[in-house]
Amino acid sequence: MKDFIKELSKFAIRSIKIIIKALIGLFALFLLFHLVMYIIDPYSAEKDSCMYDSYGSWDDSEKRCREDCVRWEEKYGCIKITEQQIKQRNKYLKENKTVPAALRKEICLQNQKAWNFKKEECYYDFIPADCSKLGDSWQYPDICSDKK
């Protein structure tokens, strides 16, 4: 019986050592992954914080979080949002609610983009040459009123 207990305790100690080594290895892989991700994109943590903590948009050209943009893309830059709209939008986002279509539409049209009222979404790639080319389910911005 003594030998059995002795062998069992040796087995338990070896098992614990293997588990500890595996955990250390996993932790090292975790650190290595984050180091590689930082080398690839040193702003990844700031981008996440920008989107999820301050509800902003990451500006890749200036490498900063922009709360004055509802959206930022290299192709068309910043889709501006007013202070009042920022407060309204953030109120909904903090409560984990969807931003109402009326507010999204207001922001869209104020930035001279087209609004699709069937899908309730903004066409951010809209340019003045697209005026009256999108169809009946679209509300065009003010810049299209003089092109009719």
Side-chain angles (χ1 to χ4, degrees):
M1 185 72 166
K2 268 186 174 180
D3 288 339
F4 174 74
I5 293 174
K6 197 181 228 183
E7 289 300 315
L8 185 63
S9 65
K10 284 181 184 178
F11 174 76
I13 290 171
R14 274 184 281 161
S15 297
I16 290 171
K17 285 181 180 179
I18 290 171
I19 290 171
I20 289 172
K21 286 178 183 178
L23 289 174
I24 290 171
L26 286 173
F27 183 71
L29 283 174
F30 175 79
L31 287 178
L32 183 63
F33 171 77
H34 283 284
L35 178 65
V36 169
M37 291 305 294
Y38 180 78
I39 291 169
I40 291 171
D41 184 6
Y43 298 101
S44 61
E46 282 125 335
K47 288 178 185 178
D48 288 345
S49 176
C50 176
M51 264 198 310
Y52 300 112
D53 297 336
S54 59
Y55 310 114
S57 294
W58 183 258
D59 185 333
D60 272 320
S61 66
E62 296 180 15
K63 306 291 186 226
R64 69 179 181 106
C65 186
R66 307 249 335 231
E67 286 191 41
D68 64 329
C69 301
V70 72
R71 185 175 172 147
W72 188 95
E73 287 190 24
E74 194 170 327
K75 186 175 182 178
Y76 49 78
C78 175
I79 301 296
K80 289 283 189 180
I81 183 170
T82 65
E83 274 301 314
Q84 183 62 28
Q85 291 166 339
I86 290 171
K87 289 176 186 170
Q88 289 175 325
R89 180 198 62 181
N90 289 354
K91 178 183 161 209
Y92 288 103
L93 294 174
K94 284 177 184 171
E95 295 172 0
N96 290 324
K97 294 181 180 175
T98 305
V99 177
L103 179 57
R104 295 192 326 266
K105 177 183 174 185
E106 176 186 323
I107 294 166
C108 181
L109 294 173
Q110 131 194 328
N111 282 279
Q112 301 302 316
K113 304 299 179 184
W115 177 258
N116 185 308
F117 27 84
K118 284 186 181 174
K119 294 181 181 178
E120 293 189 331
E121 57 188 38
C122 189
Y123 179 37
Y124 291 108
D125 292 331
F126 182 83
I127 56 173
D130 294 334
C131 288
S132 69
K133 291 183 181 177
L134 299 176
D136 293 339
S137 60
W138 291 89
Q139 180 175 346
Y140 295 100
D142 295 338
I143 58 170
C144 291
S145 61
D146 60 343
K147 298 192 184 301
K148 289 181 181 178

